[in-house]
Amino acid sequence: MTSTPIGIALIGGGFMADVHSRAARAAGARVVGLASSSPESARRAAERVGAERSYDDVDALLDDPAVDLVHVVTPNASHHPLTVRVLEAGKHVVTEKPLATTLDDALDLERRAEAAGVIATVPFVYRFHAMAREARARIAAGEAGRIASVQGAYLQDWLLTSEDDNWRVSSAEGGASRAFADIGSHLCDLLEFVTGDRLARVQAITSTVIAERAASGAVTTEDLAGVLAQTTSGAVVSLLVSQVAPGRKNGLVLEVHGAEQSLRFEQENPDALWVGRRAGSQLLLRDAELLHESAARLSVLPAGHPLGYQDAFTAFAADTYAAVRGEHPEGLPRFADGVRASRITDAVLASSRTGEWIDL
Ligand code: SOE
């Protein structure tokens, strides 16, 4: 390897800065620096994640010629203004989901990224589990048969009680949608990615179970959402998304029912794919020799050596950096996919207000 490693910097110093910087390093990037809400918090976070330097502000980060690509990992409401600045500086960008807190702002970012001619991606990282890719490959190859229905859930419990609080609860910082924008977006992205189909219309009920929280006070964002949908090809979809489901930590489950096979992927057990058949259902364990090429590519350790969330993140970062080098990795989630998530989120909120079906 003679090529110079890509230089990345992070804006934001929270939990996701740790995840992104680990992924960046494992994907061969140099973690040049970090900017945060104050010079002091930037210094602390830079030290914690092992960045070479901290910046006093975002301007200093953007002025640094060693930075080729910026990871924006701040609270949702700042994604749009910060990403605009990164794009104006002509740098490549990874912006956390939701790409923006409104559809208009997400579309604005997509247009700006296109005009800037840079690589602009969104970490829909569950696409990067080998067994999720395997499900996609089987469906694309017609092995599952025509898809009749999809059942999905994304359940967490970290906001279960009124004592649990976070910036995501406030619509000013997190946006009008909370549970759906935060984790429902992952579920819908994975559903459309795996099935190769698109949600055509949705009907939704949202619920704010905890009306008041310790720091946020009165809550307007939803704790959970139930969604009934239909895809372009006519498949019937039911989804449940919740941040108040006791015992569920990061329970994303996607189950697709075709005419020949059902396929079930569970994020908390990502090295397995359940293949349901009328006779001879099987739990397929990750083994590159058994997988389609597109999935085998992500099986970077031998069978029996578990891969997980952080590895999926690394694969996402590696493909983003490959795109920066001019390669064309398959299945890279770009700003258009972030816009798609915003569009679905908007439709879910609109349906929950009116009770009507909303076309996408
Ligand atoms: C919190 O809900 C969170 O960290 C999300 O923001 C992530 O996208 C998800 O992967 C795990 O849960």
Side-chain angles (χ1 to χ4, degrees):
M1 290 279 290
T2 50
S3 64
T4 340
I6 180 172
I8 71 107
L10 301 129
I11 308 179
F15 156 66
M16 290 316 282
D18 295 77
V19 176
H20 280 250
S21 59
R22 261 187 241 119
R25 213 171 274 117
R30 186 179 146 207
V31 181
V32 178
L34 185 148
S36 184
S37 48
S38 70
E40 187 42 44
S41 66
R43 257 191 299 281
R44 278 199 306 270
E47 198 179 343
R48 193 183 76 238
V49 308
E52 291 169 23
R53 61 191 85 125
S54 67
Y55 305 98
D56 283 352
D57 54 35
V58 171
D59 284 328
L61 180 152
L62 295 174
D63 281 344
D64 188 342
V67 175
D68 304 302
L69 181 148
V70 180
H71 290 241
V72 177
V73 294
T74 53
N76 302 346
S78 57
H79 291 174
H80 177 265
L82 288 171
T83 304
V84 167
R85 289 169 71 185
V86 174
L87 292 171
E88 282 174 348
K91 305 213 189 254
H92 304 286
V93 65
V94 173
T95 300
E96 259 298 344
K97 32 63 44 186
L99 182 53
T101 50
T102 66
L103 177 57
D104 279 350
D105 281 352
L107 283 163
D108 180 57
L109 291 182
E110 185 190 15
R111 276 191 294 266
R112 286 172 184 268
E114 179 74 35
V118 296
I119 298 302
T121 65
V122 180
F124 286 124
V125 292
Y126 302 126
R127 293 181 179 200
F128 291 83
H129 286 293
M131 301 315 276
R133 282 291 159 123
E134 177 63 14
R136 169 177 157 91
R138 283 176 175 236
I139 291 169
E143 290 167 37
R146 188 186 160 86
I147 306 302
S149 59
V150 182
Q151 188 185 15
Y154 198 156
L155 308 177
Q156 299 181 333
D157 73 358
W158 65 287
L159 288 170
L160 184 62
T161 76
S162 58
E163 294 304 304
D164 299 317
D165 220 332
N166 181 270
W167 59 260
R168 286 177 175 82
V169 170
S170 129
S171 57
E173 278 194 272
S177 168
R178 189 219 318 151
F180 197 84
D182 189 34
I183 55 177
S185 58
H186 273 299
L187 182 59
C188 291
D189 179 77
L190 195 67
L191 185 159
E192 293 192 337
F193 184 69
V194 165
T195 61
D197 201 356
R198 293 218 137 190
L199 298 177
R201 55 187 196 126
V202 299
Q203 191 180 42
I205 301 173
T206 58
S207 170
T208 303
V209 181
I210 310 289
E212 211 156 299
R213 290 187 183 268
S216 308
V219 178
T220 58
T221 55
E222 81 285 359
D223 291 314
L224 66 87
V227 179
L228 189 63
Q230 194 165 32
T231 67
T232 308
S233 76
V236 174
V237 177
S238 113
L239 306 174
L240 183 65
V241 171
S242 172
Q243 293 177 321
V244 292
R248 291 295 174 206
K249 302 303 172 190
N250 206 30
L252 180 152
V253 172
L254 182 71
E255 185 169 303
V256 182
H257 312 114
E260 308 290 330
Q261 294 179 359
S262 294
L263 298 167
R264 180 181 172 93
F265 173 75
E266 299 180 6
Q267 193 282 143
E268 290 180 339
N269 187 17
D271 268 354
L273 181 70
W274 181 74
V275 183
R277 294 189 188 86
R278 182 78 151 240
S281 296
Q282 129 198 70
L283 190 64
L284 183 69
L285 301 181
R286 181 178 55 76
D287 179 343
E289 296 195 5
L290 303 177
L291 304 182
H292 286 79
E293 178 64 37
S294 59
R297 174 176 88 83
L298 296 170
S299 181
V300 295
L301 287 175
H305 299 70
L307 291 170
Y309 177 78
Q310 187 69 53
D311 301 293
F313 234 102
T314 297
F316 160 75
D319 276 5
T320 297
Y321 306 156
V324 168
R325 290 193 304 269
E327 296 169 30
H328 301 280
E330 200 261 321
L332 185 61
R334 298 184 185 251
F335 274 17
D337 301 293
V339 168
R340 176 73 186 157
S342 288
R343 203 180 286 287
I344 297 171
T345 303
D346 253 26
V348 163
L349 288 192
S351 175
S352 75
R353 278 192 301 268
T354 63
E356 309 208 320
W357 282 91
I358 306 287
D359 289 328
L360 279 157

